[in-house]
Amino acid sequence: MKVLPYDLLMKQLDISNVRQLEDMLINDCMYAGIVKGKLDQRRRCFEVQFAAGRDLRPGQLEAMIQTLANCLSTSDNLLLTIEEKIKWADSMNELNLKHKKEIEDKAEELRKNMKAEMEIRGTQDLSFGDDGALVMDFEEDRVRPKRYAMRR
């Protein structure tokens, strides 16, 4: 059909008003190059001048199948690569967590050993803060040494 009535188009496309239909025809069809034509608001129809074909010419089917098969193969390879990267990232995360746990365990063991040694030596001015860091209490000598002028 070269002339498509708005009522038929709105019914087939499930569009409720003429404004939406014309916007869709202009923005989604004409600008995309799918169809070319004229909108006739007075007669409430769309006159088709050109419509992009959907059918394949003889001999194009094999090329289309090959193109789609290549696309599928590339997508499968990409998916496998992504899955491998995810597995690698998971294993690296697991290794990092194990390493972090080992370091925390060693740090805790060192704190316990230092605390035990402090108790044995009776050192009262060393302790551990809330964050596990070693804290040393000391009093600073506030007396400054005098300066002596050098005389010739």
Side-chain angles (χ1 to χ4, degrees), residues 8-123:
L8 175 65
L9 289 172
M10 288 191 305
K11 182 180 176 188
Q12 293 291 322
L13 298 172
D14 195 27
I15 295 177
S16 60
N17 63 48
V18 173
R19 173 72 179 176
Q20 287 178 332
L21 176 66
E22 288 177 343
D23 286 345
M24 191 270 309
L25 287 171
I26 293 168
N27 297 327
D28 298 337
C29 298
M30 291 179 161
Y31 286 160
I34 298 170
V35 295
K36 291 181 184 175
K38 293 182 181 177
L39 299 173
D40 188 340
Q41 292 177 335
R42 193 172 336 129
R43 290 185 8 206
R44 294 180 46 95
C45 65
F46 177 63
E47 296 176 23
V48 179
Q49 295 171 345
F50 164 82
R54 299 179 304 174
D55 299 328
L56 297 174
R57 288 185 223 121
Q60 285 184 317
L61 182 60
E62 290 301 319
M64 180 64 72
I65 290 171
Q66 185 59 44
T67 300
L68 292 172
N70 290 342
C71 182
L72 179 62
S73 175
T74 301
S75 298
D76 287 342
N77 290 336
L78 181 61
L79 182 60
L80 287 174
T81 302
I82 290 171
E83 288 173 349
E84 289 173 3
K85 295 289 183 183
I86 289 171
K87 287 178 185 176
W88 177 82
D90 288 343
S91 66
M92 293 306 294
N93 185 43
E94 189 175 318
L95 286 173
N96 286 337
L97 290 173
K98 284 180 183 178
H99 183 67
K100 182 179 177 183
K101 177 81 169 108
E102 289 173 4
I103 290 173
E104 288 173 352
D105 291 346
K106 285 180 183 178
E108 183 61 31
E109 185 179 333
L110 285 172
R111 280 195 282 280
K112 286 179 182 177
N113 290 342
M114 290 177 72
K115 189 172 184 177
E117 188 160 328
M118 288 187 315
E119 289 174 3
I120 291 171
R121 293 184 182 202
T123 307

